[in-house]
Amino acid sequence: MDNRMQRKDFSSLGFRMLIGAVLITAVQLASQSVIFGNKPEWAGNMNIVLAVTMIPLYVIGYPLAFWIMKKNDAKKIEQHRMGPGQFILAFMTAYGLMIAGNIIGLVLTTAIGFIRGEQVNNALLTVISEGNIWISAIYTVLLAPIFEEILFRKLICDRIAPYGQRAAVLASGLMFGLFHMNLNQFFYAAFLGGFFAFLYIRTGNLKYTIGLHMAVNFLGSVVGGLLLQNVDMVSLPGMLIYGLYSMCVYAVGITGVVLFFINRSKMKAPEGDDRIGKGNLFKTVILNPGMALYCIAMIGVIIVQTFVM
């Protein structure tokens, strides 16, 4: 296939995703403006803030993005079964990638906060530490994995599967990471997004990536949130509980990273799968008007969120 046509297809993907992201953000901002403009006292209640932000996102924002991203002639990926043992190994690998990405984000935001003289705002940490953990779980463990996997794996990977596994992993992972619009979440979201794209391309079944996404979010948002809200980190019992939790988290995380590197050879694309050509992947997938604009816009938001807000 002509490389210009390939770049044109990825450019269209980037423009569509940018429009979807703008619409999703606009829907959330409009909801917040209307509700908190009339009831400013509600802005201090994290559970109401979550409802005002998340309900329009899932009722209006994501359906609009689905409609924009849908392609009628998208390739149907052949389905393959994943056994229980494979699912467990995939979970440990995903969790390891999440931990690795989280450490990178934490180191960078800590360094930036030190330079700024002010801590970088971490919206997710605020949600899980201040809001009702079970209400937060509805959004982070149930709704987010379903809607995000439909958008970033099903709609995006189906659309670009004809170009091969490498293109799907790069595009889905990078777009997913940037979509979170903050430095705290970018790296682990990009790592997870790329890994989930690989799994979806190999299995053709969204239930596996949704299940993994739910499990990872549950451990991070619900279990971590329960500890933050209910355990006194200053007391000896609290330090012991948190220390034991941290040991378990990093043990699974390190195991997952080791599994990832051990199995890297098995993750290579099958012979003849790559339609873009060696040395052209980044130029074709990213260096085109639509994808470049999407990346620049999202990076701009991340910079503002990191250094200004």
Side-chain angles (χ1 to χ4, degrees):
M1 186 182 293
D2 184 85
N3 187 254
R4 288 176 297 178
M5 184 60 69
Q6 293 175 341
R7 296 180 74 245
K8 183 178 179 181
D9 284 350
F10 281 102
S11 184
S12 173
L13 176 70
F15 278 127
R16 289 171 183 268
M17 193 63 240
L18 179 59
I19 293 170
V22 169
L23 287 175
I24 283 173
T25 304
V27 165
Q28 291 180 303
L29 292 177
S31 174
Q32 293 171 357
S33 177
V34 170
I35 300 299
F36 296 138
N38 289 284
K39 292 285 186 178
E41 65 275 13
W42 287 1
N45 186 313
M46 181 55 66
N47 295 323
I48 295 178
V49 171
L50 273 175
V52 170
T53 304
M54 296 300 177
I55 291 175
L57 170 66
Y58 294 113
V59 174
I60 302 173
Y62 269 113
L64 283 174
F66 294 164
W67 175 69
I68 291 168
M69 294 296 294
K70 187 175 180 181
K71 186 179 182 183
N72 293 328
D73 61 344
K75 176 183 177 182
K76 185 175 177 60
I77 299 173
E78 184 179 349
Q79 293 195 353
H80 299 277
R81 185 176 178 275
M82 180 186 288
Q86 292 174 311
F87 186 86
I88 292 172
L89 289 176
F91 165 73
M92 295 182 72
T93 302
Y95 202 72
L97 291 173
M98 188 275 289
I99 292 294
N102 190 49
I103 290 173
I104 294 172
L106 181 62
V107 169
L108 285 176
T109 53
T110 300
I112 292 170
F114 179 78
I115 294 171
R116 287 179 58 192
E118 183 181 0
Q119 187 175 6
V120 176
N121 179 47
N122 188 335
L124 180 61
L125 181 61
T126 302
V127 169
I128 65 175
S129 62
E130 296 182 11
N132 182 290
I133 200 66
W134 301 112
I135 293 177
S136 301
I138 294 174
Y139 305 119
T140 58
V141 180
L142 294 179
L143 295 177
I146 294 172
F147 282 80
E148 290 175 357
E149 291 306 306
I150 291 173
L151 179 58
F152 289 95
R153 254 57 70 186
K154 175 67 179 173
L155 294 177
I156 287 180
C157 290
D158 281 2
R159 185 185 181 94
I160 59 179
Y163 296 109
Q165 176 181 296
R166 293 194 312 151
V169 169
L170 174 60
S172 179
L174 182 61
M175 295 175 83
F176 185 56
L178 290 173
F179 184 79
H180 284 73
M181 301 186 204
N182 69 82
L183 192 58
N184 298 96
Q185 295 177 274
F186 168 72
F187 290 98
Y188 75 72
F191 291 173
L192 284 176
F195 183 62
F196 290 162
F198 158 76
L199 291 175
Y200 178 66
I201 289 291
R202 288 296 183 92
T203 66
N205 202 321
L206 207 62
K207 69 181 180 183
Y208 297 127
T209 60
I210 289 175
L212 290 169
H213 201 150
M214 286 180 170
V216 169
N217 281 11
F218 176 80
L219 285 179
S221 299
V222 176
V223 177
L226 285 172
L227 286 174
L228 283 173
Q229 292 186 11
N230 297 289
V231 175
D232 181 7
M233 304 298 179
V234 179
S235 67
L236 180 60
M239 287 189 288
L240 290 174
I241 292 172
Y242 193 73
L244 180 61
Y245 168 75
S246 298
M247 287 174 59
C248 292
V249 164
Y250 285 103
V252 175
I254 292 170
T255 303
V257 172
V258 172
L259 286 171
F260 173 77
F261 283 103
I262 289 175
N263 292 300
R264 277 190 68 189
S265 61
K266 299 178 183 178
M267 298 179 185
K268 291 182 179 179
E271 189 71 26
D273 174 76
D274 194 347
R275 302 292 190 274
I276 292 177
K278 190 175 181 180
N280 291 323
L281 181 67
F282 189 81
K283 180 177 69 174
T284 302
V285 176
I286 306 300
L287 298 183
N288 55 73
M291 287 293 287
L293 187 59
Y294 172 80
C295 292
I296 291 169
M298 296 298 104
I299 291 171
V301 174
I302 290 174
I303 291 173
V304 171
Q305 189 274 338
T306 303
F307 291 96
V308 178
M309 297 178 66

